[in-house]
């Protein structure tokens, strides 16, 4: 049984909510988001998939979604943007936002 890697577009068009972390390796606040995202992933389980996108390596995606600063978090579900925020988001605030925003 083979699992084909989904494209970014297929991923964000899916039924599962996808939180995309647009980041850069040189960005200090981006590094601060890493443990927050790990904690959020544990708390949210399979309700949300968290994907990291390096804006320096994926300039097209960053441009398409008008990412002007990093980190920028964008929550997608069924191809629609449900929420977006730039800057460091505290774990409790992020989890609360995801729980109240994601459509089951």
């Amino acid at each position: 049984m083979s699992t084909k890697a989904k494209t970014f577009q297929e991923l964000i068009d899916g039924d599962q909510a996808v939180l995309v972390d647009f980041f850069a390796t040189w960005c200090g606040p981006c590094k601060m988001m890493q443990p927050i995202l790990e904690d959020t992933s544990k708390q949210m389980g399979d309700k949300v998939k968290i994907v990291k996108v390096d804006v320096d390596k994926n300039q097209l995606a960053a441009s398409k979604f008008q990412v002007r600063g990093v980190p920028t978090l964008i929550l997608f579900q069924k191809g629609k943007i449900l929420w977006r925020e730039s800057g460091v988001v505290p774990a409790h605030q992020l989890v609360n936002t995801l729980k109240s925003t994601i459509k089951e």
Side-chain angles (χ1 to χ4, degrees):
M1 189 165 141
S2 69
T3 52
K4 181 176 133 320
K6 290 186 175 183
T7 66
F8 181 74
Q9 195 62 47
E10 287 171 333
L11 201 59
I12 65 173
D13 285 346
D15 288 340
Q16 185 182 28
V18 179
L19 179 66
V20 181
D21 172 27
F22 288 93
F23 78 102
T25 55
W26 45 264
C27 161
C30 298
K31 290 179 177 78
M32 292 168 57
M33 279 307 300
Q34 184 59 38
I36 293 170
L37 292 171
E38 288 168 6
D39 187 42
T40 300
S41 178
K42 285 180 192 145
Q43 289 188 55
M44 294 299 295
D46 59 3
K47 286 190 173 85
V48 67
K49 181 169 185 64
I50 298 177
V51 178
K52 295 180 72 61
V53 175
D54 185 332
V55 295
D56 291 327
K57 293 180 182 166
N58 300 283
Q59 293 175 349
L60 206 59
S63 174
K64 180 178 180 182
F65 297 106
Q66 299 167 350
V67 174
R68 302 277 182 255
V70 286
T72 293
L73 300 171
I74 303 179
L75 179 65
F76 295 91
Q77 194 168 20
K78 296 182 180 171
K80 293 186 171 51
I81 295 175
L82 301 180
W83 173 84
R84 76 181 284 156
E85 184 79 38
S86 292
V88 175
V89 180
H92 68 279
Q93 181 184 332
L94 183 55
V95 169
N96 289 340
T97 298
L98 294 175
K99 283 181 177 175
S100 66
T101 307
I102 292 172
K103 315 284 185 276
E104 294 292 333

